[in-house]
């Protein structure tokens, strides 16, 4: 007979409990850290920046536990903090990383060929996301890498769900055009 | 944020009108993405959206393959756990009889951005005091600056904070004009585009990369203790520990950036030329606002001007590089 599993507390319950129970915040962190990091990684294109911004996001979240009003999901709240940190980071960086230089800042080669391939593929996508319209790129990043629902993306961006669906649809069309030439070039190489 | 000058800022008003077919395709594509993310069977889509589905599938696969470095995740978890414990203790302490030590230790354990915001705020009061105080009290205030702003948190006693120290040598420098400040500052100095109470710029300093600007009401003399507004700008981290009480913080935003507002100020208990203890008085007519924006740490303090959070935020959001208000 299979063991009966205890029902897991919701994110909102964990967040409320975290005000008095440090372990609850740790549990919340474990649930969300991968998605927050992934969103920041595909926005910055840099592992170090993504790690730094992820740290900042959770530290601010810890300090602002009592500011969560239950409007929207905890995950959307966390990504909202991450987004503010990202915007601040970009302002301070003043976009010193030019598009042309992205090829030169690939992460250090890893041991596994698969990891290298993933890294290269990530760079392609990061570059393509920087070329397409920012609002479409933002919607795609939040939806695919931050794993927000369409309704949550809409709330985060201040748009209607229908508008977000169109942003993502057209953004994917744009991405396909941006990614296709690279693929063709690679295939055409001797 | 637009990183490519050649691309539009916002396409929401620029893209062609949505056809009903396109809206349907977008909705079906969205349902497909939702199903895939939930590991549920996804409906096969027709040729209209197949190309977008292929890209979406590639993004989903890429997202699934990207994981943060587990060492980084573990280290961050350890740090956050420690901070969560400290925060929890600080909350309990704040509900009790005022064991401020917990607050100080909590502040010390914060990571860089917030710690330097708050730590720097400590310097604001001291700089303002040094700018406004007369020679007789300046030495005592320097003692406070030396002992509190740069003391090791492990040596801080519980409330009340005792301050007895040798005086520091040094002479106050003459206030600089805005033009001089701009010439010496290591970054573009932004000044308020809006000021309440008919304030005017009356002097400032550039000291080791830290810019301080002081404003006084036009009417009335400029003297120690008279109402004043201080704006402190710094590019670098400040190594001072926290001198503001955690339980008085109000989190807000300046141009979307996290900011901290406090109302009140420290009251010193004096004996002769020395300040023996400091206690926070929330009813004191002083307002504090600190935030980081465009790579610059900002501190704004209003003393004796009757300002609240709304006016402080309005001043903060009016900062720009411009001809100064005179």
């Amino acid at each position: 007979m299979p063991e009966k599993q205890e029902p897991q507390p919701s994110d909102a319950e964990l967040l409320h409990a975290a005000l008095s129970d440090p372990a609850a915040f740790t549990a919340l962190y474990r649930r969300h850290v991968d998605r927050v990091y992934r969103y920041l990684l595909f926005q910055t294109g840099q592992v170090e920046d993504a790690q730094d911004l992820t740290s900042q996001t959770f530290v601010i979240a810890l300090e602002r536990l009592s500011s969560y009003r239950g409007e929207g999901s905890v995950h959307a709240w966390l990504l909202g903090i991450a987004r503010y940190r990202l915007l601040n980071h970009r302002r301070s960086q003043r976009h010193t990383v030019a598009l042309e230089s992205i090829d030169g800042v690939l992460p250090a080669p890893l041991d596994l060929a698969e990891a290298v391939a993933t890294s290269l593929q990530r760079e392609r996508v990061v570059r393509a996301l920087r070329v397409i319209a920012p609002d479409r790129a933002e919607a795609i990043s939040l939806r695919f890498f931050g794993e927000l629902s369409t309704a949550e993306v809409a709330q985060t961006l201040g748009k209607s769900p229908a508008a977000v669906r169109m942003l993502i649809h057209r953004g994917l069309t744009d991405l396909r055009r941006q990614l296709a030439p690279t693929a063709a070039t690679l295939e055409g190489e001797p | 944020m637009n990183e490519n000058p050649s691309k539009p800022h916002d396409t929401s008003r620029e893209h062609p009108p949505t056809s009903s077919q396109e809206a349907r395709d977008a909705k079906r594509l969205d349902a497909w993405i939702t199903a895939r993310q939930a590991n549920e069977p996804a409906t096969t889509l027709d040729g209209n959206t197949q190309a977008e589905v292929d890209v979406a599938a590639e993004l989903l696969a890429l997202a699934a393959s990207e994981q943060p470095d587990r060492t980084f995740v573990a280290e961050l978890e350890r740090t956050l756990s420690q901070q969560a414990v400290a925060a929890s203790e600080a909350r309990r302490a704040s509900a009790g009889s005022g064991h401020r030590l917990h607050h100080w230790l909590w502040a010390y354990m914060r990571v860089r951005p917030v710690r330097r915001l708050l730590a720097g705020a400590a310097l604001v009061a001291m700089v303002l005091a040094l700018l406004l105080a007369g020679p007789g009290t300046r030495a005592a205030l320097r003692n406070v600056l030396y002992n509190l702003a740069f003391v090791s948190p492990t040596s801080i006693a519980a409330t009340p904070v005792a301050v007895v120290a040798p005086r520091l040598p040094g002479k106050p420098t003459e206030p600089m004009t805005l033009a001089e400040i701009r010439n010496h500052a290591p970054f573009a100095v932004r000044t308020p585009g809006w000021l309440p109470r008919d304030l005017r710029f009356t002097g400032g300093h550039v000291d080791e990369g830290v810019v301080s600007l002081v404003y006084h009401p036009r009417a009335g003399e400029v003297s120690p203790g008279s109402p004043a507004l201080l704006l402190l700008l710094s590019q670098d981290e400040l190594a001072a520990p926290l001198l503001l009480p955690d339980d008085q913080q109000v989190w807000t935003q300046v141009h979307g950036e996290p900011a901290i507002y406090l109302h009140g100020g420290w009251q010193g208990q004096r004996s002769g030329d020395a300040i023996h203890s400091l206690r926070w008085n929330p009813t004191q007519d002083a307002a504090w606002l600190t935030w980081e924006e465009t790579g610059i740490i900002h501190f704004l303090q209003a003393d004796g001007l009757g300002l609240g959070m709304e006016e402080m935020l309005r001043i903060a959001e009016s900062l720009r590089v411009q001809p100064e208000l005179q």
Side-chain angles (χ1 to χ4, degrees):
Chain A
M1 186 173 176
E3 288 183 18
K4 189 178 179 181
Q5 287 189 335
E6 289 289 324
Q8 295 293 313
S10 69
D11 284 348
E13 288 169 339
L14 277 178
L15 192 142
H16 181 71
L19 287 166
S20 56
D21 179 10
F25 187 80
T26 303
L28 201 64
Y29 163 78
R30 287 177 180 166
R31 276 189 193 178
H32 296 277
V33 63
D34 285 10
R35 286 176 287 172
V36 169
Y37 168 83
R38 205 175 288 134
Y39 164 72
L40 292 166
L41 178 65
F42 280 90
Q43 287 285 296
T44 63
Q46 301 289 320
V47 170
E48 293 79 9
D49 288 345
Q51 290 181 347
D52 190 30
L53 291 168
T54 301
S55 303
Q56 293 178 30
T57 297
F58 281 98
V59 167
I60 290 175
L62 176 59
E63 294 179 334
R64 300 178 66 178
L65 286 175
S66 57
S67 73
Y68 175 69
R69 304 290 182 215
E71 298 164 352
S73 70
V74 171
H75 186 54
W77 178 71
L78 285 169
L79 279 182
I81 296 173
R83 207 163 155 256
Y84 275 128
R85 297 316 305 164
L86 178 68
L87 293 173
N88 187 59
H89 169 77
R90 285 178 172 166
R91 275 196 285 268
S92 64
Q93 294 291 310
R94 297 189 188 285
H95 315 302
T96 52
V97 180
L99 289 176
E100 293 74 16
S101 69
I102 290 177
D103 286 336
V105 293
L106 289 175
L110 303 176
D111 294 338
L112 302 172
E114 184 181 347
V116 175
T118 300
S119 176
L120 289 170
Q121 195 178 10
R122 182 211 314 152
E123 292 301 333
R124 280 179 61 225
V125 171
V126 168
R127 177 170 14 197
L129 284 170
R130 290 185 180 183
V131 172
I132 70 173
D135 52 351
R136 295 177 184 178
E138 181 72 39
I140 286 173
S141 293
L142 289 169
R143 186 80 172 92
F144 284 89
F145 305 121
E147 294 185 29
L148 289 184
S149 68
T150 298
E152 290 170 334
V153 175
Q155 187 179 15
T156 302
L157 299 181
K159 297 179 185 295
S160 69
V164 168
R165 284 195 290 270
M166 288 307 303
L167 285 174
I168 290 173
H169 185 264
R170 289 174 174 173
L172 290 174
T173 304
D174 295 344
L175 274 186
R176 176 172 57 84
R177 291 179 185 137
Q178 292 298 325
L179 295 173
T182 309
T185 304
L186 290 174
E187 288 166 7
E189 285 177 356
Chain B
M1 184 162 296
N2 189 11
E3 298 190 25
N4 183 352
S6 65
K7 68 179 177 179
H9 285 275
D10 186 344
T11 59
S12 60
R13 293 196 176 94
E14 297 169 11
H15 56 56
T18 305
S19 69
S20 57
Q21 180 61 47
E22 189 179 15
R24 279 196 296 274
D25 288 345
K27 197 167 186 175
R28 292 166 64 208
L29 179 62
D30 187 63
W32 184 90
I33 296 166
T34 302
R36 285 290 303 270
Q37 285 184 323
N39 291 319
E40 294 171 355
T43 308
T44 304
L45 301 181
D46 60 24
N48 284 345
T49 53
Q50 189 53 51
E52 284 72 25
V53 166
D54 290 344
V55 178
E58 183 180 350
L59 295 184
L60 290 170
L62 189 56
S65 67
E66 289 283 7
Q67 302 294 331
D69 179 78
R70 300 332 289 182
T71 304
F72 157 73
V73 171
E75 287 182 359
L76 179 56
E77 180 177 321
R78 185 174 54 80
T79 303
L80 288 169
S81 295
Q82 291 174 346
Q83 295 190 16
V85 169
S88 179
E89 289 178 0
R91 288 189 194 98
R92 274 198 293 272
S94 66
S97 57
H99 296 289
R100 191 167 291 141
L101 180 60
H102 290 290
H103 294 263
W104 291 45
L105 291 173
W106 156 229
Y108 182 67
M109 292 173 68
R110 293 169 192 226
V111 296
R112 183 188 59 195
V114 173
R115 187 177 67 187
R116 69 183 185 187
L117 278 175
L118 292 173
L123 202 56
V124 177
M126 301 307 169
V127 171
L128 182 60
L130 286 169
L131 283 168
L132 300 179
T137 57
R138 186 171 283 122
L141 288 166
R142 280 179 182 277
N143 290 345
V144 176
L145 180 64
Y146 183 84
N147 280 276
L148 291 185
F150 301 101
V151 73
S152 164
T154 55
S155 68
I156 296 171
T159 307
V161 180
V163 181
V164 179
R167 295 177 184 178
L168 297 179
K171 295 179 180 177
T173 55
E174 289 298 317
M176 299 166 73
T177 66
L178 272 173
E180 291 171 327
I181 289 170
R182 288 213 156 97
N183 282 337
H184 287 81
F187 49 84
V189 175
R190 298 193 308 157
T191 55
W194 178 85
L195 285 170
R197 308 286 191 275
D198 201 22
L199 293 172
R200 63 190 170 92
F201 174 76
T202 50
H205 288 93
V206 179
D207 187 15
E208 296 185 356
V210 179
V211 173
S212 55
L213 307 169
V214 183
Y215 297 80
H216 286 89
R218 287 180 191 277
E221 62 175 303
V222 176
S223 61
S226 62
L229 180 79
L230 170 74
L231 175 61
L232 191 74
L233 309 167
S234 176
Q235 215 170 14
D236 301 319
E237 295 183 29
L238 301 169
L242 177 68
L243 278 184
L244 293 176
D246 270 3
D247 57 2
Q248 299 292 320
Q249 294 174 22
V250 177
W251 280 89
T252 182
Q253 290 184 347
V254 173
H255 288 137
E257 299 299 331
I260 299 168
Y261 172 83
L262 293 94
H263 196 275
W266 294 110
Q267 277 191 334
Q269 296 181 347
R270 303 177 61 87
S271 175
D273 201 24
I275 296 176
H276 278 283
S277 66
L278 295 171
R279 288 181 184 276
W280 186 263
N281 177 8
T283 64
Q284 193 168 309
D285 183 9
W288 310 61
L289 184 67
T290 180
W291 75 103
E292 184 175 356
E293 191 179 10
T294 62
I296 303 295
I297 303 166
H298 295 70
F299 306 97
L300 189 62
Q301 185 189 356
D303 196 46
L305 293 169
L307 301 188
M309 187 163 77
E310 188 178 341
E311 287 161 307
M312 294 290 277
L313 288 172
R314 187 172 173 189
I315 297 170
E317 298 206 325
S318 76
L319 294 184
R320 54 183 178 266
V321 179
Q322 59 162 20
E324 288 70 37
L325 294 171
Q326 295 294 337

